[in-house]
Amino acid sequence: MTVSQSTRTASAGAAKAPSAWLAAAELPRAAAEFGLLAASYGGLVHAAARGDGHPVLVLPGLLASDRSTAALRSVLTKLGYDARPWRLGRNRGPRAIGASGERLMAEVEAIFNETGRKISLVGWSLGGIFARLIARRMPANIRQVITLGSPFRDDGEATNAAKLFELASGTRRDDRLNRAILAELATPSTVPSSAIYSRTDGVCAWQVCCETPAARRENIEVYGSHCGLGVNPSVIYAVADRLAQDESEWAPFQPSPWSAWAYPAAGHA
């Protein structure tokens, strides 16, 4: 990580929600990213790192379902991973995962018992927050966590989706349960984690989607929208690279010379 990136990621506490024009541009930008994925699908599958067959559980964002992660899972499956949907319906916060996360924990436990292998968690937005929560609670079952635009350092002022979360989940962001989850997330997990983010995210302030510098934690900056992160070819390429690492080893992301233009910043201090 460069000094400038380290300084930027340290300023999450002062982050504000993205501007209205960035938020308004989310859907057309996401549609363009999906079109780019469709056009480059074959080349992406050919160029991305191959998998070792271990299970990868993909968690959707707020109010999204497994349909939203189908394209990402399709690429990962073709690369040799056991990519799985979360099977909990639309992500409505505690209404989906259970008041204490018990439904999601049961799903992870079932996959672990079925395969006998640690699971990589890939979580988009709110799904990434839940992925980090599971990694803290079940580290023996989790191989690594990759978040896509997940505001896990948000204090309630840095996203444009706070009210939507309250409506979808039936809870207030500042209620006892949600405060407890945020407090739990404040202590880093022992599981390796990669935070993928965009400085032009129109939903979440990019600062609250970044890791604090530490060993086996990293940030990977990409160009893209929030709603398009799961179909963005550069994101999927980076996810595949992270998943391909040997379970006993971990090193920060190093894009190849031909792909470096797609990643303005990457690494850790």
Side-chain angles (χ1 to χ4, degrees):
M1 177 186 292
T2 64
V3 172
S4 59
Q5 186 185 5
S6 179
T7 300
R8 292 199 305 265
T9 58
S11 61
K16 299 298 181 183
S19 66
W21 76 265
L22 268 180
E26 273 291 320
L27 292 183
R29 292 165 63 208
E33 288 166 87
F34 182 77
L36 182 59
L37 174 62
S40 62
Y41 188 91
L44 176 62
V45 171
H46 175 75
R50 311 302 298 183
D52 63 358
H54 80 267
V56 180
L57 183 62
V58 186
L59 287 63
L62 177 63
L63 282 181
S65 68
D66 288 321
R67 292 182 63 183
S68 70
T69 65
L72 172 57
R73 287 184 284 109
S74 173
V75 176
L76 295 181
T77 297
K78 285 188 175 295
L79 291 174
Y81 297 99
D82 180 11
R84 303 192 179 207
W86 84 332
R87 304 191 305 175
L88 295 177
R90 291 192 179 277
N91 189 343
R92 302 181 67 190
R95 287 177 171 172
I97 68 170
S100 300
E102 65 274 7
R103 295 175 191 160
L104 182 54
M105 294 173 69
E107 181 70 13
V108 169
E109 186 72 29
I111 295 172
F112 181 80
N113 290 337
E114 174 195 337
T115 64
R117 302 185 69 176
K118 289 186 177 181
I119 303 153
S120 288
L121 301 177
V122 179
W124 190 351
S125 194
L126 180 60
I129 292 177
F130 292 153
R132 290 172 64 90
L133 188 67
I134 295 302
R136 277 199 46 76
R137 294 179 177 179
M138 309 173 71
N141 298 41
I142 305 303
R143 178 166 170 160
Q144 66 177 306
V145 172
I146 304 171
T147 59
L148 315 181
S150 299
F152 50 82
R153 297 177 66 193
D154 182 23
D155 61 3
E157 302 294 329
T159 77
N160 286 318
K163 292 298 183 183
L164 184 60
F165 171 81
E166 292 181 350
L167 289 172
S169 66
T171 66
R172 291 186 57 81
R173 184 171 177 82
D174 61 353
D175 72 10
R176 180 183 57 80
L177 177 60
N178 290 326
R179 288 200 307 270
I181 289 176
L182 290 173
E184 189 173 350
L185 290 173
T187 304
S189 168
T190 58
V191 174
S193 61
S194 302
I196 298 177
Y197 71 98
S198 169
R199 293 182 71 187
T200 57
D201 189 315
V203 176
C204 305
W206 60 268
Q207 296 96 327
V208 299
C209 302
C210 296
E211 290 278 13
T212 53
R216 303 211 305 170
R217 283 187 275 159
E218 66 176 344
N219 299 303
I220 303 172
E221 183 181 353
V222 298
Y223 298 109
S225 66
H226 181 89
C227 295
L229 287 173
V231 295
N232 184 312
S234 62
V235 171
I236 297 176
Y237 180 87
V239 168
D241 179 272
R242 301 292 76 206
L243 293 175
Q245 295 187 98
D246 187 271
E247 186 173 350
S248 62
E249 300 177 3
W250 190 91
F253 178 62
Q254 293 291 337
S256 62
W258 65 267
S259 67
W261 64 269
Y263 305 99
H268 71 293

